[in-house]
Amino acid sequence: MITSSARGSSASESGATGSGTVWSDDEGARRARAVFDEAFDARPQEVWAAPGRVNLIGEHTDYNGGLALPIALPHRTFAAVSPRDDRAVRVVSRLDHDHRWEGVLDDIRPGGVEGWVAYSAGPAWALATDGLEVPGFDLALASAVPTGAGVSSSAAVECAVALALASLAGHPIGVEDDAGRARLAAACVQAENDVAGAPTGGMDQATSLRARPGHALLLDCHDDSVTHVPVDLEAAGLVLLVLDTRVHHSLADGQYGRRRATCEAAAQALGVGTLGDLVREEDADHPGADVGTVLDRLDDEEQRRRTRHVLTEIRRVRELVAAADAKDWTAVGVAMNASHDSLRDDYEVSCAELDSAVEAARSAGSLGARMTGGGFGGSAIALVPQGREARVAEAVTSAARSRGFPLPAVHLAVPAGAGERVA
Ligand code: GLA
């Protein structure tokens, strides 16, 4: 079954949270308020929402000072909050499980909280570190962003909470304030890195806070600048499918951090700040570094493969943007396919379930298919001609079945907007 993710599609009452169904803002606010009311016997002062994302291309480039091209999903996390007049903090969440935590603001710091609390409350510490006077608060979370699917459910939580707490601290940050959003995204990354202990880059938070409906976000992680790239798949007769392998991964489990450390070591060996420096601001007159020549300067085979992925991936982002601009969707698909192959072979972050989904989607007529996000499970995306969705979904499902993998969940994705106040 393909779950529609068009905004305003009817919400499933029976579905568990995070099942892939999109909630309208009213529905999400209603659910978050209900959790708040049940836990605290009160009405929240405000409700803020922030979305998950899929990345079209530019994977494992963010922490290398490179380019990425994500879209925000219409699936959102909803944070209902009220300030308190003491320093107490109470957090309840209905995410993948029901959780409750109570403490004080001073508990929320690196080493002070862990697990889901670090993601949910961590932004309070990062905002305070950034100079905001965050009061004690009551917070209730409800989410339509599938967890463990590689679509940034954790960033959606952080960003919804950060938006809500900034507002409680007297600094509501609307979508039009892009500088404010960039600063908030940096605080969320700091919370994820330092409080939750996951050494991730900034793509997910930038998307959740800075994306625009109908556009992909071309993010330059060198200086955090963004360009909004129109993506009108409908006019092109195409759809974007998210193929959730339902194999879960943890970014804090060491694999991600190892990739990052290898890239940093390679950059140091090459005498640059980040690998992205080698291919920055290229054009016909300034062709940038020759990849073969760069690789010849590295002694370590693993560094060579990781570096080759990063440099070629940054170039593929530019190629895909140019192809989309020229409405050359075949070329868009070629770039997506090459990205997956590079992530599988050079970066080694794919897995059998992702490869199976990608290969089946390609064989069933996708223009391109690739894993998206950190890897080691999670989701792939496929660019598919309209009318062929069911065939692709069936092919992906039957490939998984024949290999004994969990049956994937397939969603339709449309580029949605950044987080905002919804009640
Ligand atoms: C995860 C991280 C991002 C990014 C991707 C890979 O989603 O949170 O910062 O590094 O992996 O592109």
Side-chain angles (χ1 to χ4, degrees):
M1 192 189 102
I2 300 175
T3 316
S4 167
S5 66
R7 286 299 289 280
S9 65
S10 67
S12 149
E13 284 295 336
S14 58
T17 53
S19 65
T21 306
V22 173
W23 300 343
S24 69
D25 286 343
D26 285 349
E27 174 67 9
R30 188 188 67 72
R31 289 186 185 235
R33 270 205 213 100
V35 179
F36 193 99
D37 178 46
E38 192 186 312
F40 308 127
D41 196 20
R43 226 182 131 75
Q45 178 177 297
E46 303 174 15
V47 184
W48 290 73
R53 62 98 190 93
V54 289
N55 189 15
L56 298 181
I57 198 157
E59 218 66 83
H60 289 276
T61 50
D62 58 354
Y63 53 81
N64 284 306
L67 303 173
L69 190 71
I71 61 169
L73 291 172
H75 304 74
R76 294 178 154 199
T77 293
F78 294 82
V81 283
S82 286
R84 299 175 56 94
D85 50 18
D86 56 18
R87 293 182 63 77
V89 175
R90 298 188 293 177
V91 188
V92 288
S93 88
R94 288 267 168 81
L95 302 177
D96 48 344
H97 296 106
D98 289 359
H99 297 288
R100 185 174 179 122
W101 180 82
E102 294 189 13
V104 293
L105 282 172
D106 301 317
D107 296 332
I108 306 167
R109 58 187 154 74
V113 285
E114 56 184 24
W116 74 275
V117 186
Y119 287 98
S120 312
W125 169 80
L127 292 181
T129 305
D130 197 27
L132 290 195
E133 286 191 20
V134 180
F137 56 92
D138 289 336
L139 164 68
L141 293 163
S143 184
V145 184
T147 51
V151 296
S152 280
S153 56
S154 47
V157 169
E158 290 155 12
C159 294
V161 172
L163 284 166
L165 295 185
S167 180
L168 293 191
H171 293 278
I173 305 173
V175 275
E176 67 295 339
D177 178 4
D178 190 60
R181 289 298 176 102
R183 193 162 163 181
L184 202 62
C188 290
V189 175
Q190 203 188 356
E192 179 151 338
N193 291 174
D194 297 349
V195 184
T200 49
M203 169 176 69
D204 308 340
Q205 296 79 2
T207 318
S208 193
L209 291 169
R210 301 172 75 188
R212 283 196 193 151
H215 292 73
L217 188 79
L218 177 58
L219 176 67
D220 186 339
C221 300
H222 172 58
D223 57 7
D224 268 349
S225 60
V226 295
T227 311
H228 299 279
V229 178
V231 179
D232 191 351
L233 295 178
E234 200 174 345
L238 298 168
V239 293
L240 187 69
L241 295 185
V242 180
L243 316 168
D244 173 6
T245 62
R246 299 170 109 151
V247 182
H248 294 186
H249 64 281
S250 161
L251 290 180
D253 74 355
Q255 292 286 356
Y256 184 96
R258 270 210 288 284
R259 297 297 182 288
R260 185 168 181 160
T262 303
C263 290
E264 285 165 3
Q268 198 176 13
L270 292 164
V272 288
T274 62
L275 291 178
D277 289 349
L278 296 161
V279 288
R280 179 150 306 119
E281 286 169 17
E282 296 177 326
D283 56 33
D285 299 329
H286 308 91
D290 173 66
V291 174
T293 310
V294 170
L295 300 183
D296 284 345
R297 291 167 52 206
L298 290 170
D299 296 329
D300 182 76
E301 172 56 20
E302 190 176 313
Q303 286 183 15
R304 275 204 292 273
R305 276 185 286 124
R306 307 295 187 244
T307 301
R308 182 164 56 198
H309 166 73
V310 173
L311 301 186
T312 57
E313 183 77 353
I314 292 170
R315 287 189 172 147
R316 280 187 290 270
V317 176
R318 291 200 188 97
E319 283 162 20
L320 192 147
V321 169
D325 190 43
K327 306 208 179 335
D328 183 350
W329 301 104
T330 306
V332 167
V334 168
M336 290 172 68
N337 287 341
S339 169
H340 183 81
D341 297 351
S342 176
L343 287 157
R344 181 192 60 210
D345 301 335
D346 276 346
Y347 220 67
E348 297 178 283
V349 289
S350 189
C351 60
E353 293 87 350
L354 282 167
D355 292 342
S356 164
V358 163
E359 279 154 29
R362 288 179 188 168
S363 310
S366 302
L367 295 184
R370 59 180 292 276
M371 56 156 277
T372 187
F376 306 108
S379 294
I381 52 171
L383 188 63
V384 177
Q386 270 170 23
R388 209 173 259 266
E389 302 91 311
R391 204 180 309 172
V392 170
E394 260 165 50
V396 168
T397 305
S398 91
R401 187 180 291 115
S402 71
R403 292 177 170 99
F405 297 154
L407 297 188
V410 181
H411 313 292
L412 273 175
V414 290
E420 60 198 326
R421 184 170 177 179
V422 295

